[in-house]
Amino acid sequence: MAGRDRIAHLLRQLEKAACRCPAHSNTYHQGTGAAACTLRKTDYAFEMASSNIRYGEGVTREIGMDLQNMGARNVCLMTDKNLSVLPPVKAVLESLAQNGVNYKVYDQVRVEPTDTSFKQAIAFAKKDSFDVYVAVGGGSVIDTCKAANLYASHPEAEFLDFVNAPIGKGKPVTEVLKPLIAVPTTAGTGSETTGVAIFDYEELKAKTGIASRAIKPTLGMVDPLHTLHMPERVAANSGFDVLCHSLESYTALPYSMRKPCPPNPINRPAYQGSNPISDVWSRHALTVVAKYMKRAVRDPEDLEARSSMHLASVFAGIGFGNAGVHLCHGMSYPIAGNVTTYRAKGYNVDHPIVPHGLSVVLTSPAVFNFTAPMCPERHLEAAEILGADVSRVKREDAGPLLADTLRQFLYDLQVEDGLSAVGYTKDDVPDLVKGTIPQERVTKLSPREHTEEDLTHLFEASLKIY
């Protein structure tokens, strides 16, 4: 006992003598959130969350066994019209049939979903008593399935209850959702790992979403064989999403600088700011993108490259799913939401569309030139990973260097020359700025504070890239 008393005494003495600066003092690392947040305006902790991930060529054939193991009696399978006749969905249906799983198919998911298409999928889910959900598709399908599961589990909720503030009420999820297995068919969104569901809110002509760890899939079943069916431009635009997920999460505002400090852990957002664990995933994803993306786009039969990009999407998903993204994504939402005539190549849809990855990457040179002064070392590191020589570059030149490196990367992959190439002019900039302002969930994670005037300049600089 005497020894324990001496140890306790020493610990108390050390605590009294400890450094009192916020980054190292004991108050910074307290485990009681409410107590710590009475002393801090910014957060003091971060939380890592991700779906379970299973990876392997042909792993989809196991899904029927998984559902049987879960005791599933009535499965809701969601996909879109195009995918419903392609091998990924056929592989899932064969596995379900072989294992005697009862299911119903909803194949009306809209590519780049809207609040209307979300509500249609939710109505389908509410008509039946589904005990497991399966999503087979890209981010549009997986996000739609997340929303259907969420609102079917909260039948009394209004649609805007869970939508991110300030557009929606941003209420925390209180009920337990049904299991959801996601089978991603693109290498981009990382939605199989995250608690985020994005849609186009038609009233504002801008995207918003729902963000809660409660809606993340139970299992992400990552089968690289499914990526062989992506057309070239779908592979490119999906890859650009991975690129920006990596760059934005790695350069996001550090978690310890994000406001406000949550009074209760349930209020801590899914997007928390850059942190030491997310950094590892984001940086590695960027390395894989640099090595394999061009190969994956140019040769649809390059299984090594497409498999690597599929994993990069997962890596980046774990990174940004906890750290968050910032200006490229915040600005992309009105770019996608205000489109009037542009129809992207490789997408079999009946409506104008700027694919998500394309809408994100078009502003990336301007954005990272703007944010670089706040963390130049990270911007230089990103430029080096993407192939730039940084040996003689000064810190103050990090922004221009990363911007030029991105321009070359986009040029090599034949990306449209800026917002003007997808139908926007300088006259549209005020509406694009207006659509960005409500995206505080992501824009506040920018490492550099910005004004409406700054956003105006960034959009204008993105009208032409080359």
Side-chain angles (χ1 to χ4, degrees):
M1 289 298 292
R4 291 184 182 179
D5 290 342
R6 282 198 298 273
I7 292 170
H9 175 72
L10 283 170
L11 289 172
R12 284 193 294 270
Q13 292 299 109
L14 285 169
E15 183 177 358
K16 289 178 182 177
C19 170
R20 293 302 177 190
C21 66
H24 301 100
S25 69
N26 198 50
T27 57
Y28 184 83
H29 297 286
Q30 287 181 55
T32 52
C37 286
T38 61
L39 303 173
R40 293 178 60 90
K41 292 182 179 179
T42 57
D43 209 339
Y44 71 103
F46 67 91
E47 181 174 335
M48 292 299 297
S50 175
S51 306
N52 290 330
I53 297 295
R54 185 183 303 159
Y55 173 88
E57 293 179 24
V59 74
T60 305
R61 69 173 67 97
E62 297 182 354
I63 194 168
M65 290 181 278
D66 287 311
L67 293 166
Q68 195 176 64
N69 294 339
M70 290 177 177
R73 295 184 181 86
N74 191 21
V75 174
C76 176
L77 190 154
M78 291 199 167
T79 189
D80 64 46
K81 274 291 186 186
N82 294 325
L83 275 165
S84 65
V85 296
L86 293 178
V89 171
K90 290 181 179 179
V92 171
L93 294 178
E94 286 176 6
S95 183
L96 268 58
Q98 288 170 4
N99 289 276
V101 177
N102 183 50
Y103 65 89
K104 292 183 176 65
V105 176
Y106 180 82
D107 62 3
Q108 300 299 310
V109 172
R110 187 182 194 269
V111 178
E112 302 295 335
T114 65
D115 52 321
T116 299
S117 72
F118 263 22
K119 289 172 185 175
Q120 291 167 346
I122 292 165
F124 178 85
K126 284 183 174 181
K127 285 179 183 177
D128 217 322
S129 298
F130 295 114
D131 53 3
V132 182
Y133 290 79
V134 172
V136 187
S140 296
V141 172
I142 299 173
D143 287 4
T144 299
C145 197
K146 289 174 183 176
N149 188 10
L150 172 64
Y151 287 94
S153 301
H154 295 75
E156 305 304 319
E158 299 291 333
F159 181 71
L160 289 178
D161 282 354
F162 301 115
V163 174
N164 299 319
I167 294 173
K169 297 177 182 178
K171 290 183 177 180
V173 177
T174 55
E175 300 295 329
V176 177
L177 274 62
K178 303 299 183 184
L180 190 162
I181 298 178
V183 185
T185 58
T186 61
T189 67
S191 186
E192 66 276 5
T193 71
T194 71
V196 179
I198 302 298
F199 65 93
D200 188 1
Y201 190 52
E202 294 166 293
E203 184 179 327
L204 292 180
K205 293 186 177 180
K207 287 184 182 288
T208 183
I210 302 161
S212 169
R213 295 179 190 86
I215 69 171
K216 65 181 174 61
T218 310
L219 173 66
M221 190 168 279
V222 183
D223 187 338
L225 295 179
H226 297 332
T227 65
L228 300 179
H229 306 286
M230 284 192 295
E232 176 187 318
R233 295 326 297 172
V234 176
N237 293 327
S238 299
F240 292 136
D241 203 16
V242 181
L243 172 68
C244 288
H245 284 159
S246 306
L247 287 170
E248 289 174 72
S249 56
Y250 192 55
T251 58
L253 187 76
Y255 76 95
S256 56
M257 295 176 65
R258 182 185 50 75
K259 299 177 182 178
C261 187
N264 185 302
I266 199 173
N267 301 119
R268 182 167 283 117
Y271 287 179
Q272 302 159 90
S274 61
N275 60 75
I277 300 180
S278 283
D279 286 349
V280 175
W281 295 98
S282 301
R283 189 167 49 230
H284 184 63
L286 186 61
T287 301
V288 177
V289 168
K291 184 176 181 180
Y292 289 106
M293 182 171 168
K294 291 178 184 178
R295 282 174 50 184
V297 171
R298 291 166 179 165
D299 183 2
E301 296 183 3
D302 188 336
L303 182 58
E304 180 188 16
R306 291 218 164 179
S307 298
S308 297
M309 285 300 297
H310 212 20
L311 272 179
S313 177
V314 174
F315 298 152
I318 298 171
F320 93 86
N322 292 282
V325 287
H326 55 82
L327 289 177
C328 290
H329 271 75
M331 295 169 66
S332 78
Y333 298 147
I335 294 171
N338 283 273
V339 61
T340 55
T341 58
Y342 183 77
R343 292 177 184 254
K345 296 176 183 177
Y347 292 80
N348 183 20
V349 295
D350 59 1
H351 53 272
I353 181 177
V354 180
H356 175 64
L358 179 60
S359 69
V360 168
V361 83
L362 289 176
T363 62
S364 62
V367 164
F368 291 108
N369 187 43
F370 174 77
T371 57
M374 304 311 297
C375 45
E377 293 83 2
R378 291 192 174 221
H379 287 68
L380 282 174
E381 185 178 2
E384 185 175 26
I385 290 171
L386 291 171
D389 180 1
V390 302
S391 58
R392 298 182 181 179
V393 178
K394 297 177 181 178
R395 294 171 77 253
E396 55 266 32
D397 295 326
L401 178 66
L402 180 53
D404 286 343
T405 304
L406 286 168
R407 286 189 189 95
Q408 187 62 53
F409 194 82
L410 302 190
Y411 183 80
D412 290 346
L413 286 167
Q414 301 178 323
V415 174
E416 289 84 342
D417 189 8
L419 297 177
S420 59
V422 297
Y424 291 105
T425 70
K426 191 172 182 178
D427 292 339
D428 297 310
V429 169
D431 285 336
L432 296 175
V433 172
K434 181 181 177 182
T436 304
I437 292 170
Q439 312 300 334
E440 294 179 356
R441 179 181 63 92
V442 293
T443 57
K444 283 191 173 181
L445 289 172
S446 169
R448 181 175 176 181
E449 292 186 2
H450 51 277
T451 63
E452 289 186 33
E453 185 179 2
D454 291 326
L455 292 173
T456 298
H457 291 323
L458 290 173
F459 277 117
E460 289 176 347
S462 301
L463 288 169
K464 300 279 285 184
I465 296 177
Y466 311 121

